[in-house]
Amino acid sequence: MMRVRSAAAIAIHEFFRENEFFLVHTPVLTTNDAEGGGEAFSVTVANKEKEKNKAEEEFFGSPASLTVSGQLHLESAAYGLKRAYNFNPAFRAERQQSRRHLSEFWMVEAEMAFLDNFDGLLFWMENMLKSVTEKVLQTAAADFKYHMDHVAPKNHTALIEKMAESSFVRVPYDEAMRILEKHSMQFNTPPKKGENLHRDHEVFLVKHCGDVPVFVTEFLASCKPFYAREMTGDRSKVLAADLVVPEIGELFGGSLREHRYDVLRKKCQSAGQLETLGWYLELRKLGCPPCGGFGMGFERYVQFLLGIPSIKDAIPYPRWIDHCAL
Amino acid sequence: MMRVRSAAAIAIHEFFRENEFFLVHTPVLTTNDAEGGGEAFSVTVANKEKEKNKAEEEFFGSPASLTVSGQLHLESAAYGLKRAYNFNPAFRAERQQSRRHLSEFWMVEAEMAFLDNFDGLLFWMENMLKSVTEKVLQTAAADFKYHMDHVAPKNHTALIEKMAESSFVRVPYDEAMRILEKHSMQFNTPPKKGENLHRDHEVFLVKHCGDVPVFVTEFLASCKPFYAREMTGDRSKVLAADLVVPEIGELFGGSLREHRYDVLRKKCQSAGQLETLGWYLELRKLGCPPCGGFGMGFERYVQFLLGIPSIKDAIPYPRWIDHCAL
């Protein structure tokens, strides 16, 4: 796993270099929270100093937390560099103990200025998944084969090969909901219009579509963060897509970004982020190019590639609630 | 700067790949502190949850902090992978406001199992600095030239060329001290035997040696962390080296690691780390290969390459005390 993981990371850097993206180290310590999820870790100075002087508790002069996503920072970089990506640790203080949750994980995010085409955005995600996988199968061939022969589920190589050869399916959110509602008896949590899909919904949908990765598109605005761009003609929907893959569920999430100042300001306000995200709004104030991007959870990719059931086995030093060994 | 920085990061990944190192994502959240420096940030759950239930303050069951170095974790990986490296954010809660301090920075660390040769270790550092720089001058030629022509100090290109063509100088710590003491009038803080060199000492030493990078070797054990290996024949000294470069001072630090269980246990105990570093000691308990490695501050490298006076201008979103914008 460690050697294939390393090869996958290098393949990702190569993919972006070949496509003229610049690597940007977005910050880990931040005073804003991209998704507004409230699952951020707080950062303070170490205890012994805290005791010395309680007033110094806020080292940065305002509360700082660990990043949950570098997307907004990456957008600001993309306006200067045209194409920017990061490959960063990200953090969620989630309390669930499951095979799907980590407190510390690595994420790849890409952001493109002058991207105004939703199909183009989907193509980037499909292209990246296929190219990176192809490269790993070349550069880590022996390690991959060993894992397939001795560790992975039996049909896993076939699954990866099918992914590489197929055109990915597109299913609009409404249609996905219709399909899921027809089979709602099968789910612990029934699908509910207006909400995001749960993992078991996603896995079912992929199976339903023939075990080929599926783009869920045309999301209801309520399912996605405030910065996703409204669809022309139907303002209840946004130009956002999740790419869901066999066994894993969501692997990529992406959207065109709302670049109109007035629209974004209103949405930012409704999300209660007007104060902390003033700088983000500023980027649009004097006009800016359309922008779009996506993010991929790196551990989920490693799981998908190698058929690893628990995400904790896809990272060398896993951290989750009550577990931070070493 | 952003484009050259990106090229430098990619060149580093290439250097390691060409030399059969595996990339390891060492953890950011950790329950131990590699250097024992006490300048770590604490991590807790976000405020609103803290109020709800004070007992939950320790999300991980024990106090967690942000890593100051991934070296010890990397050692554990190197025993399995032979050659391992990371390229990670690291954190120091330093209160100095200067052109040299950041609270969040990126670090490259490498660790090699079966490395028992101190000259070999120095060669890896020299080789990496030269190879990576050569690669950047190729892949970001236009951006580098622009920066040299319009931003950098006048003699900077010559400085970089000299570095690339020269054999690096080696000066044992005792000799460095003799040189510095002769000129001690020139320093705000006079050099003091038994202590590490200050930045102005380092910069002077490099000038004294003809503006070529200098390895300071044969450090007194008191200057270096507990895990550096004792010199055979003189147990007061350790097989550690700093590579100091023009303008910047220390750019790399490296050492052979103490791999003898009994010796390490004693040193670990004197450093008061026996409890938190039990796992690290365990690695040696049943015998292990000799090991050595080095670390390089990535922002310092960007400063050196481009002749940037303040480290805050070598990273896109700088954080230091009282400053955590965006």
Side-chain angles (χ1 to χ4, degrees):
Chain A
M1 188 286 283
M2 298 274 278
R3 286 194 295 256
V4 176
R5 185 182 157 108
S6 173
I10 299 305
I12 286 168
H13 285 299
E14 282 200 350
F15 172 80
F16 284 119
R17 191 190 42 184
E18 283 165 10
N19 287 290
E20 299 178 340
F21 282 73
F22 292 97
L23 174 63
V24 176
H25 289 122
T26 52
V28 172
L29 294 170
T30 178
T31 46
N32 63 67
D33 167 357
E35 314 272 335
E39 284 169 337
F41 286 104
S42 302
V43 176
T44 56
V45 289
N47 285 330
K48 75 178 171 196
E49 301 219 26
K50 237 200 304 198
E51 285 159 26
K52 225 195 297 170
N53 189 344
K54 292 255 177 191
E56 288 188 317
E57 203 171 314
E58 281 182 8
F59 184 88
F60 294 110
S62 54
S65 58
L66 297 183
T67 186
V68 297
S69 159
Q71 185 216 308
L72 305 187
H73 296 95
L74 208 55
E75 274 186 57
S76 72
Y79 288 146
L81 299 169
K82 192 173 167 203
R83 292 181 186 166
Y85 77 104
N86 70 9
F87 194 150
N88 256 36
F91 304 84
R92 304 266 162 95
E94 293 180 302
R95 297 190 166 277
Q96 292 98 323
Q97 293 227 31
S98 84
R99 295 189 306 168
R100 304 187 61 231
H101 289 94
L102 286 173
S103 299
E104 172 177 339
F105 54 98
W106 285 73
M107 192 151 60
V108 179
E109 296 173 294
E111 206 64 36
M112 288 154 276
F114 306 98
L115 180 71
D116 202 16
N117 182 316
F118 190 61
D119 288 345
L121 178 69
L122 302 193
F123 176 75
W124 275 111
M125 295 190 241
E126 180 165 343
N127 184 14
M128 173 172 157
L129 183 54
K130 288 177 173 171
S131 302
V132 168
T133 303
E134 193 185 342
K135 180 83 78 177
V136 177
L137 297 193
Q138 285 165 16
T139 57
D143 290 320
F144 183 79
K145 188 176 181 315
Y146 183 90
H147 196 93
M148 288 305 111
D149 291 349
H150 297 95
V151 188
K154 269 212 174 112
N155 62 345
H156 199 73
T157 313
L159 202 74
I160 296 294
E161 279 167 6
K162 193 168 183 185
M163 182 279 291
E165 288 158 9
S166 311
S167 281
F168 296 179
V169 178
R170 295 187 193 187
V171 179
Y173 176 82
D174 286 349
E175 194 185 322
M177 275 295 158
R178 273 196 296 275
I179 295 167
L180 293 170
E181 276 162 3
K182 250 191 241 166
H183 302 84
S184 69
M185 299 294 285
Q186 302 189 26
F187 306 117
N188 287 331
T189 315
K192 199 170 156 191
K193 199 147 181 169
E195 286 183 5
N196 248 322
L197 308 185
H198 285 239
R199 183 194 169 251
D200 48 350
H201 306 155
E202 291 168 345
V203 171
F204 177 88
L205 198 63
V206 174
K207 266 216 171 346
H208 182 86
C209 294
D211 267 337
V212 167
V214 174
F215 283 112
V216 181
T217 62
E218 301 182 22
F219 271 95
L220 282 176
S222 60
C223 300
K224 291 289 161 193
F226 70 93
Y227 48 69
R229 194 189 313 172
E230 283 176 358
M231 272 179 68
T232 322
D234 184 351
R235 292 181 47 197
S236 72
K237 298 212 171 111
V238 288
L239 291 167
D242 287 349
L243 179 63
V244 297
V245 299
E247 314 290 348
I248 306 298
E250 184 190 337
L251 180 60
F252 286 73
S255 71
L256 296 185
R257 316 307 187 188
E258 187 56 73
H259 64 290
R260 294 164 298 173
Y261 178 76
D262 296 335
V263 180
L264 190 69
R265 200 190 138 83
K266 261 181 222 150
K267 297 201 157 201
C268 208
Q269 195 157 26
S270 323
Q273 300 255 32
L274 207 52
E275 213 165 304
T276 48
L277 290 181
W279 67 271
Y280 180 71
L281 265 173
E282 282 292 317
L283 293 173
R284 271 86 175 156
K285 203 159 189 180
L286 301 174
C288 72
C291 198
F294 58 84
M296 180 189 84
F298 183 57
E299 282 73 23
R300 288 199 189 165
Y301 175 66
V302 174
Q303 279 191 279
F304 171 62
L305 186 64
L306 292 178
I308 297 174
S310 169
I311 198 164
K312 298 181 181 77
D313 298 326
I315 186 168
Y317 307 90
R319 275 90 178 82
W320 70 101
I321 185 163
D322 288 331
H323 292 82
C324 185
L326 313 195
Chain B
M1 188 288 283
M2 298 273 279
R3 289 194 294 256
V4 176
R5 187 183 156 106
S6 173
I10 300 304
I12 287 167
H13 285 298
E14 283 200 348
F15 171 79
F16 284 118
R17 191 189 43 182
E18 284 165 9
N19 288 289
E20 300 178 340
F21 281 73
F22 292 97
L23 175 62
V24 176
H25 289 122
T26 52
V28 172
L29 295 170
T30 176
T31 44
N32 63 67
D33 167 358
E35 314 272 334
E39 284 167 336
F41 286 104
S42 302
V43 177
T44 55
V45 290
N47 287 329
K48 76 178 173 198
E49 301 220 24
K50 235 197 312 197
E51 284 157 28
K52 224 193 300 170
N53 189 343
K54 292 255 178 191
E56 286 187 321
E57 202 171 315
E58 281 182 8
F59 184 89
F60 293 110
S62 53
S65 58
L66 298 182
T67 185
V68 297
S69 160
Q71 184 216 309
L72 304 188
H73 296 94
L74 208 55
E75 273 185 56
S76 72
Y79 288 147
L81 298 169
K82 190 174 169 203
R83 292 181 186 165
Y85 77 105
N86 71 9
F87 193 150
N88 255 36
F91 304 84
R92 304 266 161 96
E94 294 181 300
R95 298 191 166 276
Q96 291 97 323
Q97 294 228 28
S98 84
R99 296 188 305 169
R100 305 186 59 232
H101 290 95
L102 286 173
S103 299
E104 172 176 339
F105 54 97
W106 284 73
M107 193 151 58
V108 180
E109 295 173 293
E111 205 65 35
M112 290 154 276
F114 305 100
L115 179 72
D116 201 16
N117 182 317
F118 190 60
D119 289 344
L121 177 69
L122 302 194
F123 176 75
W124 274 111
M125 296 191 238
E126 181 166 342
N127 184 16
M128 173 172 157
L129 182 54
K130 287 177 174 173
S131 303
V132 168
T133 303
E134 194 186 341
K135 181 82 79 177
V136 177
L137 297 191
Q138 285 166 16
T139 56
D143 291 320
F144 182 78
K145 187 175 181 315
Y146 183 89
H147 196 93
M148 289 303 113
D149 291 349
H150 297 96
V151 188
K154 271 214 171 109
N155 63 344
H156 199 74
T157 313
L159 202 73
I160 297 293
E161 279 168 3
K162 194 166 181 186
M163 182 278 291
E165 289 158 8
S166 311
S167 280
F168 296 179
V169 178
R170 296 187 193 185
V171 180
Y173 175 81
D174 286 348
E175 194 187 322
M177 275 295 156
R178 273 194 298 274
I179 296 168
L180 294 170
E181 276 164 3
K182 253 193 236 162
H183 302 84
S184 69
M185 299 294 285
Q186 302 187 24
F187 305 117
N188 288 331
T189 315
K192 200 170 154 192
K193 199 145 182 172
E195 286 183 4
N196 247 322
L197 308 186
H198 286 239
R199 184 193 166 254
D200 47 350
H201 307 154
E202 292 168 345
V203 171
F204 177 88
L205 197 64
V206 173
K207 264 214 174 344
H208 182 86
C209 294
D211 268 336
V212 167
V214 173
F215 284 112
V216 182
T217 62
E218 301 182 24
F219 270 95
L220 282 175
S222 60
C223 300
K224 292 288 161 194
F226 69 93
Y227 48 71
R229 192 188 315 171
E230 284 176 359
M231 272 178 69
T232 322
D234 183 352
R235 291 181 46 196
S236 71
K237 298 212 171 109
V238 288
L239 291 167
D242 286 350
L243 179 62
V244 298
V245 299
E247 314 292 346
I248 306 300
E250 185 190 335
L251 178 61
F252 286 72
S255 71
L256 296 185
R257 317 306 188 188
E258 186 56 72
H259 65 288
R260 293 163 299 174
Y261 178 77
D262 295 333
V263 181
L264 190 69
R265 199 189 139 85
K266 261 182 221 150
K267 297 199 158 204
C268 207
Q269 195 158 23
S270 324
Q273 302 254 33
L274 205 52
E275 212 165 306
T276 47
L277 290 181
W279 67 270
Y280 180 70
L281 266 173
E282 281 291 316
L283 292 173
R284 271 83 176 159
K285 205 159 186 179
L286 302 175
C288 71
C291 198
F294 58 82
M296 180 190 84
F298 184 57
E299 283 72 23
R300 289 198 188 166
Y301 175 66
V302 174
Q303 280 191 278
F304 171 62
L305 186 65
L306 292 178
I308 297 175
S310 169
I311 198 164
K312 299 182 178 77
D313 298 326
I315 186 167
Y317 307 90
R319 275 91 178 82
W320 69 100
I321 184 161
D322 287 332
H323 292 82
C324 185
L326 314 194

